[in-house]
Amino acid sequence: MSAPAVYRPRNPQDSDYYRCVEDYFETFLQIYDEHFSRQYGFWRPYIEQVIYRYLDCGNLRNGFARVKCTDCGHEYLLAFSCKRRHFCPSCHQKRVVEFGEWLCMDVLKKIPHRHFVFSIPKILRRYFLYDRKLLADLSRSAWESLKVFLQEAVPENDPIPGVVIAVQTFGDFLGFNPHCHILVTDGCFYGDDGMFRVAPPLELKKLEAIFRHKVFRMLLDKGKITQELIAMLSSWRHSGFNVFCGNRISPDDDTAMENLARYIIRASFSQERMQYLDQEGMVVYTSKDGEAIKNFPALEWLAAMCSHIPNRGEQMVRYYGYYSNVSMGKRLQEGLDNAIPYILEPQGNEKAFRKSWSRLIQKIYETDPLVCPRCNGTMRIISSIEDPSVIRDILNHLGLWLVKARPLPKAHVPPIRECAACDLQLQTHADTIYGDPEYTWDAYIQS
């Protein structure tokens, strides 16, 4: 029997991504308004906090936990993380795994689901770039479109679908492309006892037309567009709006459902597909299929990355209908939330134990951080060190205080060029045909 893999604490400072941010973030902050605000939106002060927190992620100088083997006494220090979503690959990936588990265990019911993607034309995307509050309205427009369509398709009294919508703002090469990834029940609940009726296949062209109308009405009401622009877009043969629907996901396919739940909140980029050329001040990024490559000046890469950072407290995932907080809270009060939909029996009714740091690490990196590398015994966290003077004393004693000291940022500025927005390519559809989305589940795994 082979020995278990040894967990080694990550070292983000050695990654190409970290070195690029470290080299250029000071210059980036100084020149953003002049060089990038027109293309990537107004500067948001919260971004600066995110960048500084990321640069301190995994740095022992900012605090750590002591992890010790109960058998042989072996010990190591585990640095605290920044917990910044979207910008820090490691912290965001832990959130992705935890979200997938929580959604499947505590929100989604054991019924068939489908994956929808709702996208909008390029000409409208700039409004969402300059006013991020519109992203919530885009999510609402997608929900209202699906609600109308599914309620019409299910001939019951007061049918209600369950919908989880995640708004993504990025395409394959980080171009600003707001679109909605949606997990939706393949039908509607009705009655007080959790009865569920599956919907017939939906006519996607008609659903697309409803979504287009909802988005036009929303932007018109907010004064973003005019009737003339609506008339022009409506006259186009291809309006730029698109609705995609994947194949039905069985209630028994827990792996597919959890992977899809992770996919809809994945990070905006993959470290494995990024190469930083520090001498040239360039970032080379490869497409998901490996067939296309794009070169970015380092400062432009940072500007594109920052355009996808949510504001403080901004919700990128929303729950509607049967899965809304109001609906779930009402069922809990009435003792109905554990009712089993009549169409299928559940795979047991026990909740998995609470997520933990060590279990998330196992799931992401397939190695247990609490297995001693010397004797394979059990390790445990014995203390958390947060006092700055104690941190310095311990690291000085171990000779680690200056090992990862941050160097001064580079002062040079590479050439700046225009960056054409790159779009998320979605599979085209026939009027009533479902298809599988073209993605792989391992694309979101970050190191």
Side-chain angles (χ1 to χ4, degrees), residues 388-399:
S389 61
V390 178
I391 292 172
R392 184 173 188 126
D393 289 343
I394 292 176
L395 295 183
N396 272 327
H397 175 72
L398 298 175

Side-chain angles (χ1 to χ4, degrees), residues 152-444:
E152 185 69 23
V154 175
E156 301 291 348
N157 293 326
D158 299 322
I160 185 71
V163 176
V164 179
I165 300 181
V167 177
Q168 292 184 1
T169 61
F170 52 88
D172 197 13
F173 286 109
L174 298 181
F176 194 84
N177 177 14
H179 57 283
C180 297
H181 282 271
I182 306 172
L183 275 174
V184 58
T185 56
D186 194 21
C188 292
F189 295 91
Y190 63 96
D192 295 330
D193 52 356
M195 302 292 282
F196 182 83
R197 183 176 293 278
V198 176
L202 306 182
E203 296 185 54
L204 297 184
K205 279 295 184 182
K206 294 181 179 179
L207 179 57
E208 178 187 299
I210 295 175
F211 176 60
R212 181 172 65 246
H213 170 76
K214 294 285 186 182
V215 173
F216 281 159
R217 173 55 57 186
M218 179 268 291
L219 292 175
L220 186 65
D221 290 345
K222 292 184 177 295
K224 301 296 182 181
I225 60 176
T226 63
Q227 289 285 4
E228 290 74 18
L229 179 59
I230 293 176
M232 182 188 72
L233 292 175
S234 299
S235 67
W236 289 359
R237 181 177 180 183
H238 300 291
S239 68
F241 288 89
N242 191 59
V243 173
F244 165 83
C245 181
N247 288 337
R248 177 180 296 168
I249 303 174
S250 166
D252 296 324
D253 197 346
D254 295 329
T255 300
M257 184 59 70
E258 186 173 335
N259 284 340
L260 182 54
R262 298 185 198 180
Y263 179 78
I264 66 175
I265 67 162
R266 72 193 190 279
S268 58
F269 82 110
S270 168
Q271 285 194 101
E272 286 74 15
R273 294 190 276 125
M274 171 198 176
Q275 181 183 7
Y276 170 50
L277 307 178
D278 57 347
Q279 297 300 319
E280 294 83 357
M282 300 291 292
V283 171
V284 181
Y285 197 64
T286 306
S287 62
K288 286 188 293 187
D289 57 16
E291 296 182 358
I293 294 177
K294 187 175 181 64
N295 296 324
F296 293 83
L299 290 169
E300 187 179 304
W301 167 264
L302 289 178
M305 282 291 302
C306 290
S307 69
H308 305 298
I309 298 175
N311 290 324
R312 184 193 300 273
E314 182 179 356
Q315 298 299 316
M316 303 302 287
V317 181
R318 292 175 172 81
Y319 308 85
Y320 299 99
Y322 196 80
Y323 292 153
S324 69
N325 290 335
V326 172
S327 181
M328 293 177 66
K330 182 179 179 180
R331 293 196 303 273
L332 283 173
Q333 285 184 346
E334 298 174 354
L336 300 175
D337 196 49
N338 290 325
I340 303 170
Y342 83 99
I343 59 169
L344 281 169
E345 293 292 330
Q347 299 295 315
N349 55 13
E350 293 185 1
K351 298 290 186 182
F353 58 90
R354 186 64 183 168
K355 278 74 68 179
S356 66
W357 159 77
S358 61
R359 197 168 64 82
L360 292 178
I361 291 294
Q362 290 182 60
K363 198 156 191 176
I364 299 171
Y365 302 117
E366 298 182 350
T367 181
D368 190 344
L370 295 182
V371 171
C372 179
R374 291 186 178 178
C375 68
N376 292 333
T378 301
M379 306 188 77
R380 64 185 184 91
I381 298 176
I382 59 173
S383 65
S384 294
I385 311 300
E386 301 181 40
D387 185 278
S389 61
V390 178
I391 292 172
R392 184 173 188 126
D393 289 343
I394 292 176
L395 295 183
N396 272 327
H397 175 72
L398 298 175
L400 298 175
W401 178 252
L402 298 177
V403 169
K404 290 296 180 180
R406 181 186 299 164
L408 293 175
K410 293 184 178 180
H412 64 276
V413 180
I416 299 172
R417 61 174 177 80
E418 293 292 325
C419 175
C422 301
D423 310 310
L424 175 69
Q425 299 297 320
L426 297 177
Q427 181 178 333
T428 58
H429 58 73
D431 286 2
T432 59
I433 297 177
Y434 296 106
D436 285 320
E438 295 180 352
Y439 50 69
T440 58
W441 299 122
D442 57 354
Y444 55 79

Side-chain angles (χ1 to χ4, degrees), residues 52-169:
Y52 277 110
R53 286 289 299 272
Y54 167 69
L55 290 172
D56 287 335
C57 187
N59 191 332
L60 292 171
R61 296 159 68 106
N62 299 301
F64 51 83
R66 293 175 58 199
V67 184
K68 188 173 184 178
C69 177
T70 57
D71 295 332
C72 70
H74 173 66
E75 183 176 337
Y76 70 86
L77 305 182
L78 179 70
F80 294 149
S81 60
C82 67
K83 298 180 175 62
R84 298 299 94 180
R85 55 179 177 158
H86 294 277
F87 196 77
C88 177
S90 178
C91 293
H92 186 80
Q93 183 56 29
K94 293 185 181 72
R95 177 175 178 266
V96 164
V97 173
E98 192 169 19
F99 173 80
E101 291 184 342
W102 171 78
L103 192 70
C104 292
M105 288 192 300
D106 296 340
V107 178
L108 304 181
K109 298 299 181 180
K110 287 287 185 177
I111 50 147
H113 287 80
R114 289 192 187 271
H115 174 214
F116 280 82
V117 182
F118 285 41
S119 57
I120 61 176
K122 292 181 181 179
I123 195 172
L124 298 180
R125 295 173 189 173
R126 65 179 184 271
Y127 301 114
F128 298 85
L129 175 64
Y130 290 107
D131 185 358
R132 292 188 64 93
K133 293 180 180 178
L134 293 177
L135 295 174
D137 298 306
L138 182 66
S139 175
R140 169 65 62 172
S141 298
W143 151 244
E144 291 176 349
S145 304
L146 277 170
K147 179 183 178 182
V148 168
F149 225 66
L150 286 169
Q151 287 182 331
E152 185 69 23
V154 175
E156 301 291 348
N157 293 326
D158 299 322
I160 185 71
V163 176
V164 179
I165 300 181
V167 177
Q168 292 184 1
T169 61

